[in-house]
Amino acid sequence: MRMSRSFKALAAAGALLLAAACGSSGSSSSTGAVDPPDLKPQKKLGKTENAVNLIAWAGYAEDGSNDPKVDWVTPFEKKTGCKVNTKTAASSDEMVSLMKTGQYDAVSASGDASLRLIASGDAEPVNTKLVPNYKDIFKGLKNQDWNSVDGKPYGIPHGRGANLLMYNTEKVKPAPDSWSAVFDDAGQHKGKVTAYDSPIYIADAALYLMKHKPSLGIKNPYALDQKQFDASVDLLKKQNADIGEYWSDYLKEISAFKSGDSVVGTSWQVILNTAQDEGAKVKAVLPKEGSTGWSDTWMVSSKAKHPNCAYKWLDHIASPEANAQVAEYFGEAPANEKSCKLTADKNHCRVYHAADEPYWKKVHYWTTPTQQCLDGRKDAKCVPYAKWVQAWTEIKD
């Protein structure tokens, strides 16, 4: 099979800095960790404004310019009269900065951006009654920490993916079933262990400690008090001695696994598929501890100049047809359960576990760590994301 369309889309964007999508799995945001301004959602749709300005990840708003066969923007423009202008962002920080300008109407925010946008008032609550396709979104993606606050939705789920443990089947034996392969047992493959290059990876260490050192009392890998945070950072500093490469561009990760420079580490389903297609002797597993993962959310700017077209876009991208196309092109599980019947590859939803809710209950979706603990603790202060960024630099030194 040729290189997947999703792989080409993201590779064309350069180094993949796919931002964190968020929230801890299976729980609504009721911790009070985010206290947003009192903004009201739009009550009804008015006349469309003839345009919509989007901030999106590469591969999320394809108009045929990258591949004439890949286009879900043109049908939207013809149906609504809303011309789509897309700014492709390379990071969540860029998305947050762009949203503050007031020049954009909607954004495909990942979790390390979504809570910041909510807290700052740059994104407003969404009236899901104005998005008819919302009713078909998988229940497990609704009213979660990364897209809602106290049951009030701030966006429309886009898709999701889990961080997997990928390994070389010829070099890593027996087949691993635990993240210990990249932590406590990493020395067995010294210099050939790989990890995702982002401060949010600290949560992977926290998740491991949550299961293997329960005395720390970690309940949510994104809600770490200083002691819990320090333990996670210490584990990653120890791991650093065995790391051959941190990756953010998955072209490089596939190349490293094909050459044997990497034999075990964090990966995604789409990377596994492509690596196998290119002859790499690799498999992947969702380890027994569970994993971190991501889910992006389309959010509306509180300063939107084209709010009606923005709502039309939210409904379009959540439709079974468009959501099937983007999920398959990008390499993720779709958010709309009806999309699974419309993918070109009829096995897509099975491979990506789209409807496998027990699978997703093991996934702790990326979220923005805040000082007020996301796990609901009132008697402790948690380490905010800015400190995660600082610590990540120290870990890699």
Side-chain angles (χ1 to χ4, degrees), residues 49-56 61 76 82-88 98-99 101-108 298-301 303-307 309-311 313-314:
E49 304 88 356
N50 302 320
V52 63
N53 299 326
L54 306 177
I55 306 167
F76 168 78
C82 301
K83 177 176 173 51
V84 175
N85 304 301
T86 304
K87 169 67 176 178
T88 300
L98 290 170
M99 281 287 279
T101 68
Q103 298 175 22
Y104 298 90
D105 304 302
V107 60
S108 63
W298 281 99
M299 309 178 80
V300 176
S301 170
K303 310 178 193 73
K305 295 180 174 63
H306 311 100
C309 279
Y311 265 90
W313 172 259
L314 263 58

Side-chain angles (χ1 to χ4, degrees), residues 283-301:
K283 289 185 178 180
V285 63
L286 184 73
K288 60 186 179 183
E289 298 91 354
S291 78
T292 57
W294 46 270
S295 174
D296 296 336
T297 302
W298 281 99
M299 309 178 80
V300 176
S301 170

Side-chain angles (χ1 to χ4, degrees), residues 95-138:
M95 286 186 169
V96 171
S97 296
L98 290 170
M99 281 287 279
K100 289 185 179 301
T101 68
Q103 298 175 22
Y104 298 90
D105 304 302
V107 60
S108 63
S110 289
D112 60 344
S114 56
L115 293 186
R116 283 187 276 171
L117 294 172
I118 292 171
S120 65
D122 290 311
E124 67 181 27
V126 166
N127 184 349
T128 58
K129 293 180 180 178
L130 303 181
V131 185
N133 283 304
Y134 182 74
K135 68 181 184 302
D136 297 319
I137 298 295
F138 284 109

